[in-house]
Amino acid sequence: MAWLYANEDEMSDTSSALTRQEAPNKLGLLKVFQKTMARRPRIAVVGSANIDLTTFTDKFPNPGETIFGQKFDLGFGGKGANQAVAARLCGADVFMVARVGSDLFGPATIENFKKLGIDTAHVKQVEGLSSGVAPIFVEPNGQNRILVVKGANDSLKAADVDAAADMLKAADCIVLQFEIPLETVYYTIAFARKHGIRCIVNPAPAQPVEMRALADLDYFVPNESEAAAVTGVPVRNVGDAKQCAQKLMTGGIRRVIITLGANGSLIAGPGISEHVAPFSVKSIDSSGAGDAFIGSFAVFLAEGVPELEAVRRANLYAGLSTTGVGTQKSFYDRARFDAEWAVQGRR
């Protein structure tokens, strides 16, 4: 754990406390360390966990035909899990509320969370259901075909949110997506509103929504296609994004952030409608960039970073995630991110 000091005077006070000749006052030292140590943000993710099964092949088989593939990759995915991993790598204490299947992938998913330091007290296996999986078939030209089987993700219910209530009440922010039942999403938004907890919703994959259920939502964070699907307003440029965001806010949402891929992002709310420029990175694979943005943004806000700067930082974190292949495997840890921010954040 890194020790962060608010200023040099506090660091000096701590040093003198440690070097005095008299017997140390353990309670006093504890108070000094508690004062000087920055508290980790607490992020709760209520959402999905999938397994990505990617097969690379020269061609797709014909009906009834069996062929050899070239390469296979198995990775941990799901938008909820990706966002939780991004938040954890950015330095937060992360708590996951999710459901996995009673197959081989269920325990592996839970173990992956534990290995990364994500709290799994409310990640449960569901008997008789498969874990969420995404078989992906990729041709040499990059063309792919994807099937998503939601499996146990579809069994995450309001009662499971209630069972995690004590943990959720202690969170600085609750993060949600649309890979779980919408009824559970709406229930969790209402829970966050009732208890005064910041809530971020990523409407992915895009579906029709009940705008009344999103009233007073803190942050609604779609990409261009998701924003267009929810509002019916095409998003082809920054001007379109501003119109789309305004329509969402008219429905009662407090803040809208539309991620624009290589064009950065747009943040809109009372008194603000601003395009936030992207950073220059050498992109290889954009998979999971939106999840990287949301997970990191939740952490930066919880740390007290001003809103607009938090969006800029999340832009960079998402951009950096595209410099590697895959989702969770391409996310930067906090030390690597801070080193990049020290250089690029000044520009």
Side-chain angles (χ1 to χ4, degrees), residues 95-148:
F95 308 81
M96 189 81 194
V97 181
R99 292 295 177 265
V100 296
S102 57
D103 49 22
L104 293 174
F105 296 138
T109 298
I110 294 173
E111 184 57 33
N112 182 58
F113 284 141
K114 289 180 176 179
K115 182 179 177 180
L116 291 167
I118 295 172
D119 191 299
T120 61
H122 296 284
V123 181
K124 308 292 185 183
Q125 285 187 269
V126 182
E127 283 299 320
L129 291 179
S130 73
S131 297
V133 295
I136 305 168
F137 303 91
V138 184
E139 289 184 293
N141 64 0
Q143 177 64 45
N144 61 45
R145 302 184 188 188
I146 304 173
L147 292 171
V148 175

Side-chain angles (χ1 to χ4, degrees), residues 55-67:
T55 299
F56 298 86
T57 179
D58 288 337
K59 67 172 186 174
F60 294 121
N62 295 315
E65 181 184 17
T66 299
I67 63 174

